[in-house]
């Protein structure tokens, strides 16, 4: 190809004096041929003037994003959801300030820096937080469903309910789920002495460290009931937050704390590890109901720990 370009240049030079206009035209042709030969030599692809091909990394990222969306859509169809669940926005760079909900404080709440009890995380984003208590039901299908749908959730465990199968929750932890404290035996804590409450909470901290390698910083009092001794004991055991809930979802209905009976940005939603022994349905049935409801209302599920 290079010889052809040289020959054209040679012929063009002999005709300069006789046909300057033709020579100018020929020069354009020669330049185009030269460009074509260069392309033939290195096989590189060039965009139009002023344009650049996207970096390979960007192309790969876009392809992976399309694959992820397709996989999520397939999972939503497989688990019989009405729509594909929405994806939560990135967590804030600056975490919101978490305080005890008004009316949920105890004496010495601020002066003793006790763990705050709260039902909602301050945010304007349309997100909710799914939390699941106790650990009685250990449904493998639930693990698979949540993993395939990429739904985050936070767990509060009771030793009495999980001691027959610590491994089930180890699998959950391996998927990035945070395991937290819900006491040893799920008692009504305000009815116990300070020392007995401390034994329930700190004892569960020991269980969590032994089986899961971490002492949680989140604790949920059973039934959502607590007093000043509860929060004092929790703090002494290394607890920093005591989230409860705004809504509770069952397999066949929802229950609401607020008068408007509706969802709000940042709400904490409670459910339990239950199956057909207690519900008219399974854990996956409950998740389907939960996701269909929040997706229809324009909400996504976010990870609670990302906001604390």
């Amino acid at each position: 190809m290079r010889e052809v370009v040289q020959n054209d240049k040679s012929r063009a030079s002999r005709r300069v004096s006789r046909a300057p206009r033709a020579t100018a035209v020929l020069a354009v042709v020669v330049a185009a041929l030269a460009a074509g030969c260069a392309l033939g030599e290195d096989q590189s692809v060039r965009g139009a003037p002023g344009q650049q091909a996207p970096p390979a990394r960007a192309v790969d990222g876009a392809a992976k994003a399309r694959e992820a969306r397709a996989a999520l859509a397939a999972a939503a169809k497989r688990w019989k959801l009405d729509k594909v669940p929405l994806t939560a926005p990135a967590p804030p760079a600056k975490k919101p300030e978490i305080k005890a909900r008004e009316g949920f404080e105890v004496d010495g709440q601020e002066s003793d820096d006790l763990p705050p009890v709260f039902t909602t995380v301050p945010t304007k984003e349309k997100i909710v937080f799914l939390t699941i208590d106790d650990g009685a039901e250990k449904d493998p299908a639930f693990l698979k469903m949540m993993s395939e749908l990429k739904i985050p959730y936070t767990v509060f465990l009771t030793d009495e309910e999980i001691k027959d199968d610590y491994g089930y929750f180890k699998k959950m932890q391996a998927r990035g789920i945070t395991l937290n404290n819900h006491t040893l035996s799920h008692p009504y804590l305000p009815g116990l002495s300070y020392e007995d409450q401390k034994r329930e909470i700190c004892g569960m901290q020991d269980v969590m460290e032994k089986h899961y390698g971490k002492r949680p910083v989140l604790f949920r009092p059973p039934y959502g009931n607590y007093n000043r001794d509860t929060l004092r004991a929790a703090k002494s055991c290394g607890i920093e937050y005591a989230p409860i809930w705004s809504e509770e979802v069952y397999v066949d209905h929802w229950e609401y704390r607020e008068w408007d009976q509706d969802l709000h940005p940042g709400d904490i939603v409670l459910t339990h590890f239950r199956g057909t022994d207690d519900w008219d349905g399974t854990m996956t049935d409950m998740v389907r109901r939960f996701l269909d409801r929040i997706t229809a209302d324009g909400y996504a599920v976010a990870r609670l720990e990302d906001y604390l």
Side-chain angles (χ1 to χ4, degrees), residues 140 143 165-177 212:
L143 292 181
D165 190 357
Y166 291 117
Y168 177 83
F169 301 96
K170 191 72 175 177
K171 295 175 185 176
M172 195 175 287
Q173 185 184 41
R175 289 167 165 82
I177 302 305
Y212 306 113

Side-chain angles (χ1 to χ4, degrees), residues 5-307:
V5 173
Q6 291 172 345
N7 289 340
D8 285 346
K9 286 181 179 178
S10 175
R11 286 195 293 272
S13 65
R14 289 198 296 269
R15 296 173 183 169
V16 169
S17 59
R18 289 182 295 174
R21 185 173 299 175
T23 300
V25 173
L26 183 58
V28 173
V29 174
V30 169
L33 287 171
C37 289
L39 178 60
E41 289 173 357
D42 64 14
Q43 294 298 309
S44 60
V45 178
R46 295 174 175 82
Q51 297 181 348
Q52 293 183 345
R57 188 175 301 172
V59 173
D60 290 344
K64 289 180 179 179
R66 287 194 297 271
E67 289 176 2
R69 288 194 295 271
L72 187 59
K77 183 177 181 180
R78 186 161 52 251
W79 292 105
K80 300 179 181 179
L81 301 185
D82 291 342
K83 295 181 180 179
V84 177
L86 299 174
T87 301
K94 183 179 180 181
K95 303 290 181 70
E97 184 180 5
I98 304 296
K99 293 184 176 182
R101 175 172 168 158
E102 185 176 354
F104 287 59
E105 311 96 331
V106 297
D107 291 341
Q109 180 75 57
E110 293 188 7
S111 61
D112 295 339
D113 192 26
L114 298 177
V117 175
F118 56 102
T119 63
T120 301
V121 171
T123 181
K124 294 181 180 179
E125 301 283 359
K126 291 193 74 173
I127 56 173
V128 294
F129 305 98
L130 179 62
T131 62
I132 313 178
D133 281 6
D134 66 49
E137 178 72 10
K138 302 166 185 70
D139 184 355
F142 168 78
L143 292 181
K144 184 177 181 181
M145 180 183 195
M146 300 302 269
S147 180
E148 290 182 357
L149 292 171
K150 311 297 183 187
I151 303 298
Y153 55 102
T154 299
V155 172
F156 294 87
L157 299 176
T158 297
D159 189 50
E160 194 172 85
E161 300 290 358
I162 69 172
K163 62 185 180 183
D164 62 331
D165 190 357
Y166 291 117
Y168 177 83
F169 301 96
K170 191 72 175 177
K171 295 175 185 176
M172 195 175 287
Q173 185 184 41
R175 289 167 165 82
I177 302 305
T178 304
L179 310 180
N180 298 290
N181 189 324
H182 199 43
T183 71
L184 288 172
S185 63
H186 207 275
Y188 174 73
L189 290 174
L192 303 180
S193 67
Y194 170 79
E195 289 301 328
D196 285 343
Q197 292 198 54
K198 185 176 179 179
R199 189 176 300 110
E200 280 283 341
I201 301 169
C202 289
M204 191 59 191
Q205 293 288 79
D206 295 340
V207 169
M208 299 298 287
E209 184 174 31
K210 177 181 178 180
H211 292 281
Y212 306 113
K214 293 183 179 180
R215 298 180 74 82
V217 297
L218 273 64
F219 159 71
R220 173 171 284 161
Y223 315 106
N225 295 132
Y226 60 95
N227 58 14
R228 182 171 184 268
D229 281 349
T230 309
L231 300 185
R232 286 177 56 231
K235 181 181 178 180
S236 75
C237 302
I239 296 299
E240 299 177 12
Y241 300 97
I244 50 175
W245 61 90
S246 284
E247 293 88 24
E248 183 170 1
V249 60
Y250 297 82
V251 74
D252 57 353
H253 71 284
W254 286 63
E255 293 181 0
Y256 302 85
R257 185 181 297 275
E258 307 302 336
W259 65 270
D260 61 359
Q261 303 286 285
D262 204 359
L263 292 171
H264 313 89
D267 276 358
I268 298 171
V269 180
L270 163 69
T271 192
H272 290 80
F273 287 97
R274 294 288 185 271
T276 53
D277 288 345
D278 300 284
W279 286 345
D280 186 19
T282 65
M283 287 287 291
T284 58
D285 294 330
M286 178 277 299
V287 172
R288 186 180 305 110
R289 179 183 182 89
F290 166 73
L291 291 176
D292 283 346
R293 164 68 199 284
I294 68 164
T295 304
D297 286 357
Y299 282 84
V301 186
R303 183 174 180 268
L304 179 60
E305 294 81 2
D306 290 340
Y307 288 74

